[in-house]
Amino acid sequence: MDAQYAAAYPELYRRHWWWRVREEILLRNIRNILAAVPEARILDVGCGAALFFDALESFGHVEGVESDRAAVEGSGKWRSRIAIGNLDSAYQPAAPFDLILMLDVLEHIQATDQLLRRASEILTPGGRILVTVPAFKSLWTTHDDMNHHVTRYTAGELRSTLTGAGLRVIYTRYLFQSLVVPKLLVRATEMFAPRPPRVPTLAPAPIDRVLQAWCRTEYALAGWMPFGSSVLAVASHSTHPTTGPGREAE
């Protein structure tokens, strides 16, 4: 992640409409996944400064893995729960996890197979892996450059990536459908008038509230649409039954 963006990220996460809605969507899915798992063990891969930990703590015990040492400097009380390094054989948790989160992680990695297979190894037999990634290479903008992305995914590509690593996909769905057209316009503008990446800014509070309300409604009503600016997937061990909430979409 660009240094300027990294510095602004904590404030954006706490106040920007996109991150607020995204967290609500994630929590809704996590509640469904962990409904029958009291005091779950959760691992957040690529957790940064543990900004999601306060919300996750209500489900049980939370830990994190982060490869960027500088990213965890603002983690405060959660610092002792974060392992610095990659999710590989060197990472040895005290016990397996009921839920492993990879939230906007895979798009930063060229070879995802080793990461996903290691996640499967430290997952409980009935555990789940929840993944989000940016959608569609056609929506690539300088924002992806600023984030050091290497790719964007369709739902089908994400399913293939997960099943190729030996996981079973339970469901996928696109998110933020209404952002597709604006991102296409930004991409077209950048093609004809290149500009350096810019850090996102906060909208005025009334506009922020309207955008949050719009995206909440969109998530409730438009989840069946076969497009969006992000993709969410939930997967399990390949031998575990594929029962769970949600629907597949491509």
PDB file of all heavy atoms in Angstrom, residues 127-143:
ATOM      1  N   GLY A 127     -14.822 -25.518   9.881  1.00  0.00           N
ATOM      2  CA  GLY A 127     -14.493 -24.109   9.782  1.00  0.00           C
ATOM      3  C   GLY A 127     -14.732 -23.521   8.408  1.00  0.00           C
ATOM      4  O   GLY A 127     -14.992 -24.229   7.428  1.00  0.00           O
ATOM      5  N   ARG A 128     -14.652 -22.200   8.333  1.00  0.00           N
ATOM      6  CA  ARG A 128     -14.891 -21.473   7.097  1.00  0.00           C
ATOM      7  C   ARG A 128     -13.764 -20.470   6.825  1.00  0.00           C
ATOM      8  O   ARG A 128     -13.138 -19.946   7.758  1.00  0.00           O
ATOM      9  CB  ARG A 128     -16.208 -20.682   7.179  1.00  0.00           C
ATOM     10  CG  ARG A 128     -17.446 -21.556   7.375  1.00  0.00           C
ATOM     11  CD  ARG A 128     -17.787 -22.284   6.076  1.00  0.00           C
ATOM     12  NE  ARG A 128     -19.072 -22.954   6.149  1.00  0.00           N
ATOM     13  CZ  ARG A 128     -19.251 -24.209   6.509  1.00  0.00           C
ATOM     14  NH1 ARG A 128     -18.197 -24.943   6.874  1.00  0.00           N
ATOM     15  NH2 ARG A 128     -20.455 -24.746   6.523  1.00  0.00           N
ATOM     16  N   ILE A 129     -13.543 -20.207   5.549  1.00  0.00           N
ATOM     17  CA  ILE A 129     -12.653 -19.136   5.114  1.00  0.00           C
ATOM     18  C   ILE A 129     -13.510 -18.118   4.378  1.00  0.00           C
ATOM     19  O   ILE A 129     -14.252 -18.473   3.455  1.00  0.00           O
ATOM     20  CB  ILE A 129     -11.541 -19.662   4.190  1.00  0.00           C
ATOM     21  CG1 ILE A 129     -10.665 -20.663   4.938  1.00  0.00           C
ATOM     22  CG2 ILE A 129     -10.692 -18.507   3.654  1.00  0.00           C
ATOM     23  CD1 ILE A 129      -9.631 -21.351   4.068  1.00  0.00           C
ATOM     24  N   LEU A 130     -13.450 -16.863   4.803  1.00  0.00           N
ATOM     25  CA  LEU A 130     -14.210 -15.784   4.178  1.00  0.00           C
ATOM     26  C   LEU A 130     -13.228 -14.874   3.455  1.00  0.00           C
ATOM     27  O   LEU A 130     -12.275 -14.368   4.053  1.00  0.00           O
ATOM     28  CB  LEU A 130     -15.010 -15.006   5.228  1.00  0.00           C
ATOM     29  CG  LEU A 130     -16.057 -14.007   4.709  1.00  0.00           C
ATOM     30  CD1 LEU A 130     -17.089 -13.726   5.803  1.00  0.00           C
ATOM     31  CD2 LEU A 130     -15.445 -12.697   4.245  1.00  0.00           C
ATOM     32  N   VAL A 131     -13.465 -14.679   2.163  1.00  0.00           N
ATOM     33  CA  VAL A 131     -12.547 -13.928   1.302  1.00  0.00           C
ATOM     34  C   VAL A 131     -13.296 -12.772   0.639  1.00  0.00           C
ATOM     35  O   VAL A 131     -14.441 -12.933   0.195  1.00  0.00           O
ATOM     36  CB  VAL A 131     -11.968 -14.847   0.203  1.00  0.00           C
ATOM     37  CG1 VAL A 131     -11.087 -14.058  -0.754  1.00  0.00           C
ATOM     38  CG2 VAL A 131     -11.204 -16.010   0.820  1.00  0.00           C
ATOM     39  N   THR A 132     -12.663 -11.615   0.564  1.00  0.00           N
ATOM     40  CA  THR A 132     -13.146 -10.556  -0.319  1.00  0.00           C
ATOM     41  C   THR A 132     -11.999 -10.107  -1.215  1.00  0.00           C
ATOM     42  O   THR A 132     -10.836 -10.102  -0.804  1.00  0.00           O
ATOM     43  CB  THR A 132     -13.683  -9.333   0.454  1.00  0.00           C
ATOM     44  OG1 THR A 132     -12.642  -8.783   1.273  1.00  0.00           O
ATOM     45  CG2 THR A 132     -14.878  -9.699   1.319  1.00  0.00           C
ATOM     46  N   VAL A 133     -12.341  -9.744  -2.445  1.00  0.00           N
ATOM     47  CA  VAL A 133     -11.356  -9.250  -3.420  1.00  0.00           C
ATOM     48  C   VAL A 133     -12.039  -8.211  -4.298  1.00  0.00           C
ATOM     49  O   VAL A 133     -13.263  -8.212  -4.454  1.00  0.00           O
ATOM     50  CB  VAL A 133     -10.814 -10.387  -4.312  1.00  0.00           C
ATOM     51  CG1 VAL A 133      -9.939 -11.351  -3.530  1.00  0.00           C
ATOM     52  CG2 VAL A 133     -11.953 -11.136  -5.003  1.00  0.00           C
ATOM     53  N   PRO A 134     -11.258  -7.313  -4.910  1.00  0.00           N
ATOM     54  CA  PRO A 134     -11.841  -6.399  -5.900  1.00  0.00           C
ATOM     55  C   PRO A 134     -12.218  -7.164  -7.163  1.00  0.00           C
ATOM     56  O   PRO A 134     -11.567  -8.148  -7.523  1.00  0.00           O
ATOM     57  CB  PRO A 134     -10.714  -5.392  -6.162  1.00  0.00           C
ATOM     58  CG  PRO A 134      -9.466  -6.121  -5.808  1.00  0.00           C
ATOM     59  CD  PRO A 134      -9.821  -7.051  -4.696  1.00  0.00           C
ATOM     60  N   ALA A 135     -13.284  -6.720  -7.832  1.00  0.00           N
ATOM     61  CA  ALA A 135     -13.847  -7.465  -8.959  1.00  0.00           C
ATOM     62  C   ALA A 135     -13.506  -6.839 -10.309  1.00  0.00           C
ATOM     63  O   ALA A 135     -13.451  -5.613 -10.434  1.00  0.00           O
ATOM     64  CB  ALA A 135     -15.369  -7.542  -8.812  1.00  0.00           C
ATOM     65  N   PHE A 136     -13.300  -7.695 -11.278  1.00  0.00           N
ATOM     66  CA  PHE A 136     -13.175  -7.364 -12.696  1.00  0.00           C
ATOM     67  C   PHE A 136     -11.931  -6.533 -13.030  1.00  0.00           C
ATOM     68  O   PHE A 136     -11.789  -5.390 -12.608  1.00  0.00           O
ATOM     69  CB  PHE A 136     -14.427  -6.639 -13.218  1.00  0.00           C
ATOM     70  CG  PHE A 136     -15.668  -7.479 -13.197  1.00  0.00           C
ATOM     71  CD1 PHE A 136     -16.648  -7.256 -12.235  1.00  0.00           C
ATOM     72  CD2 PHE A 136     -15.849  -8.497 -14.114  1.00  0.00           C
ATOM     73  CE1 PHE A 136     -17.795  -8.033 -12.200  1.00  0.00           C
ATOM     74  CE2 PHE A 136     -16.993  -9.274 -14.090  1.00  0.00           C
ATOM     75  CZ  PHE A 136     -17.967  -9.046 -13.125  1.00  0.00           C
ATOM     76  N   LYS A 137     -11.087  -7.123 -13.844  1.00  0.00           N
ATOM     77  CA  LYS A 137      -9.893  -6.411 -14.309  1.00  0.00           C
ATOM     78  C   LYS A 137     -10.267  -5.171 -15.123  1.00  0.00           C
ATOM     79  O   LYS A 137      -9.492  -4.210 -15.194  1.00  0.00           O
ATOM     80  CB  LYS A 137      -9.023  -7.356 -15.135  1.00  0.00           C
ATOM     81  CG  LYS A 137      -8.458  -8.531 -14.335  1.00  0.00           C
ATOM     82  CD  LYS A 137      -7.646  -9.459 -15.216  1.00  0.00           C
ATOM     83  CE  LYS A 137      -7.123 -10.664 -14.422  1.00  0.00           C
ATOM     84  NZ  LYS A 137      -8.223 -11.560 -13.981  1.00  0.00           N
ATOM     85  N   SER A 138     -11.444  -5.176 -15.719  1.00  0.00           N
ATOM     86  CA  SER A 138     -11.889  -4.012 -16.487  1.00  0.00           C
ATOM     87  C   SER A 138     -12.150  -2.798 -15.601  1.00  0.00           C
ATOM     88  O   SER A 138     -12.293  -1.684 -16.121  1.00  0.00           O
ATOM     89  CB  SER A 138     -13.158  -4.355 -17.280  1.00  0.00           C
ATOM     90  OG  SER A 138     -14.198  -4.753 -16.405  1.00  0.00           O
ATOM     91  N   LEU A 139     -12.215  -2.996 -14.294  1.00  0.00           N
ATOM     92  CA  LEU A 139     -12.426  -1.880 -13.364  1.00  0.00           C
ATOM     93  C   LEU A 139     -11.109  -1.383 -12.759  1.00  0.00           C
ATOM     94  O   LEU A 139     -11.119  -0.601 -11.811  1.00  0.00           O
ATOM     95  CB  LEU A 139     -13.376  -2.303 -12.239  1.00  0.00           C
ATOM     96  CG  LEU A 139     -14.780  -2.746 -12.659  1.00  0.00           C
ATOM     97  CD1 LEU A 139     -15.631  -3.061 -11.429  1.00  0.00           C
ATOM     98  CD2 LEU A 139     -15.455  -1.691 -13.515  1.00  0.00           C
ATOM     99  N   TRP A 140      -9.989  -1.822 -13.331  1.00  0.00           N
ATOM    100  CA  TRP A 140      -8.683  -1.406 -12.809  1.00  0.00           C
ATOM    101  C   TRP A 140      -8.487   0.100 -12.985  1.00  0.00           C
ATOM    102  O   TRP A 140      -8.693   0.651 -14.058  1.00  0.00           O
ATOM    103  CB  TRP A 140      -7.579  -2.156 -13.552  1.00  0.00           C
ATOM    104  CG  TRP A 140      -6.216  -1.957 -12.945  1.00  0.00           C
ATOM    105  CD1 TRP A 140      -5.404  -0.865 -13.077  1.00  0.00           C
ATOM    106  CD2 TRP A 140      -5.514  -2.882 -12.108  1.00  0.00           C
ATOM    107  NE1 TRP A 140      -4.239  -1.037 -12.369  1.00  0.00           N
ATOM    108  CE2 TRP A 140      -4.274  -2.270 -11.770  1.00  0.00           C
ATOM    109  CE3 TRP A 140      -5.804  -4.148 -11.622  1.00  0.00           C
ATOM    110  CZ2 TRP A 140      -3.329  -2.903 -10.968  1.00  0.00           C
ATOM    111  CZ3 TRP A 140      -4.868  -4.779 -10.833  1.00  0.00           C
ATOM    112  CH2 TRP A 140      -3.652  -4.166 -10.502  1.00  0.00           C
ATOM    113  N   THR A 141      -8.100   0.771 -11.885  1.00  0.00           N
ATOM    114  CA  THR A 141      -7.791   2.205 -11.923  1.00  0.00           C
ATOM    115  C   THR A 141      -6.491   2.452 -11.162  1.00  0.00           C
ATOM    116  O   THR A 141      -5.879   1.510 -10.636  1.00  0.00           O
ATOM    117  CB  THR A 141      -8.912   3.037 -11.275  1.00  0.00           C
ATOM    118  OG1 THR A 141      -8.954   2.768  -9.861  1.00  0.00           O
ATOM    119  CG2 THR A 141     -10.274   2.718 -11.896  1.00  0.00           C
ATOM    120  N   THR A 142      -6.098   3.709 -11.071  1.00  0.00           N
ATOM    121  CA  THR A 142      -4.888   4.037 -10.319  1.00  0.00           C
ATOM    122  C   THR A 142      -5.047   3.715  -8.837  1.00  0.00           C
ATOM    123  O   THR A 142      -4.052   3.609  -8.120  1.00  0.00           O
ATOM    124  CB  THR A 142      -4.527   5.520 -10.479  1.00  0.00           C
ATOM    125  OG1 THR A 142      -5.642   6.333 -10.089  1.00  0.00           O
ATOM    126  CG2 THR A 142      -4.148   5.838 -11.912  1.00  0.00           C
ATOM    127  N   HIS A 143      -6.288   3.554  -8.380  1.00  0.00           N
ATOM    128  CA  HIS A 143      -6.500   3.123  -6.990  1.00  0.00           C
ATOM    129  C   HIS A 143      -5.899   1.739  -6.770  1.00  0.00           C
ATOM    130  O   HIS A 143      -5.345   1.456  -5.699  1.00  0.00           O
ATOM    131  CB  HIS A 143      -7.992   3.119  -6.660  1.00  0.00           C
ATOM    132  CG  HIS A 143      -8.296   2.823  -5.232  1.00  0.00           C
ATOM    133  ND1 HIS A 143      -8.086   3.725  -4.212  1.00  0.00           N
ATOM    134  CD2 HIS A 143      -8.787   1.707  -4.636  1.00  0.00           C
ATOM    135  CE1 HIS A 143      -8.442   3.194  -3.066  1.00  0.00           C
ATOM    136  NE2 HIS A 143      -8.864   1.966  -3.282  1.00  0.00           N
TER     137      HIS A 143
END
